[in-house]
Amino acid sequence: MLDASNLEAAWEQADELYQNGNRSEAQEILQQIVDATVEAESHEGIRSKEQAIYRLGEIHCALKQPHQLVQLLRSIRSFFGVLPKAKTTKIVRRLFDNILSAGATPEEQKSICEEMIAWAKEEKRTFLRHRLEHRLAQINFDKGDCLDSLATIAAILKEARRLD
């Protein structure tokens, strides 16, 4: 298990392996970085872990592994506590885009989206929740559930008007 002081060196090693085409070894190191605990004061550790999350997401997307991406998204929720809300939103959106690109079924997309919306409500991350609800409305519309999509958009609009 890596500690915060070794994360940057591990990231550089994983990046070099990835650049040289050795994705399986890079994936193992990246997973260790993602699993490592990072303190809020460790800016280098946070940056290394964030880069590892993005790269691991790219690898899972390239290998068409949507279930691994969903598991990654679930496993890093505790890490979101040390990140600013905007950065959390960026990571969630990017991983969700990777899940879509990896070939997740519409039902899987809807399920993970609803799960993340519930988490965003729990954590009081309103902007992220609105983005996820918008994505859920898109998924419902693409599936042909126009009424569900419209109801979701109407709820977002009502709340946005109330916040203004």
Side-chain angles (χ1 to χ4, degrees):
M1 183 61 77
L2 296 171
D3 61 356
S5 62
N6 301 15
L7 289 180
E8 194 166 358
W11 161 249
E12 290 171 5
Q13 180 186 6
D15 189 44
E16 185 176 319
L17 288 168
Y18 180 82
Q19 298 300 334
N20 293 332
N22 196 342
R23 289 186 176 175
S24 62
E25 284 185 41
Q27 189 174 357
E28 289 176 24
I29 295 171
L30 291 169
Q31 189 62 53
Q32 290 176 6
I33 295 170
V34 168
D35 292 340
T37 303
V38 178
E39 300 297 321
E41 298 82 30
S42 175
H43 299 294
E44 294 82 19
I46 289 173
R47 190 178 73 246
S48 296
K49 188 165 180 171
E50 180 185 355
Q51 290 171 328
I53 290 167
Y54 288 139
R55 183 59 54 88
L56 198 54
E58 288 173 20
I59 291 171
H60 289 313
C61 183
L63 296 174
K64 301 292 184 193
Q65 299 174 328
H67 298 292
Q68 297 289 2
L69 285 161
V70 170
Q71 188 58 37
L72 174 63
L73 191 55
R74 288 178 181 144
S75 71
I76 61 173
R77 285 185 188 163
S78 61
F79 176 58
F80 293 150
V82 299
L83 291 177
K85 289 182 178 183
K87 194 162 290 257
T88 299
T89 300
K90 180 181 174 185
I91 291 172
V92 170
R93 284 182 39 221
R94 196 150 168 200
L95 286 178
F96 202 85
D97 289 342
N98 286 344
I99 290 169
L100 298 178
S101 298
T105 66
E107 291 77 24
E108 292 170 330
Q109 294 172 25
K110 185 174 179 177
S111 173
I112 189 63
C113 200
E114 289 171 341
E115 182 181 326
M116 290 305 295
I117 289 169
W119 175 81
K121 280 181 186 176
E122 199 176 283
E123 296 292 319
K124 295 180 175 42
R125 295 182 182 250
T126 306
F127 181 73
L128 175 59
R129 181 175 52 84
H130 287 167
R131 298 290 293 231
L132 291 168
E133 286 174 341
H134 180 257
R135 181 64 67 114
L136 179 63
Q138 285 179 312
I139 292 167
N140 284 333
F141 185 78
D142 291 343
K143 283 178 46 180
D145 296 338
C146 296
L147 292 177
D148 287 343
S149 180
L150 188 59
T152 303
I153 292 294
I156 296 170
L157 183 59
K158 181 178 178 181
E159 187 173 351
R161 285 183 181 152
R162 187 175 45 87
L163 291 174
D164 258 356

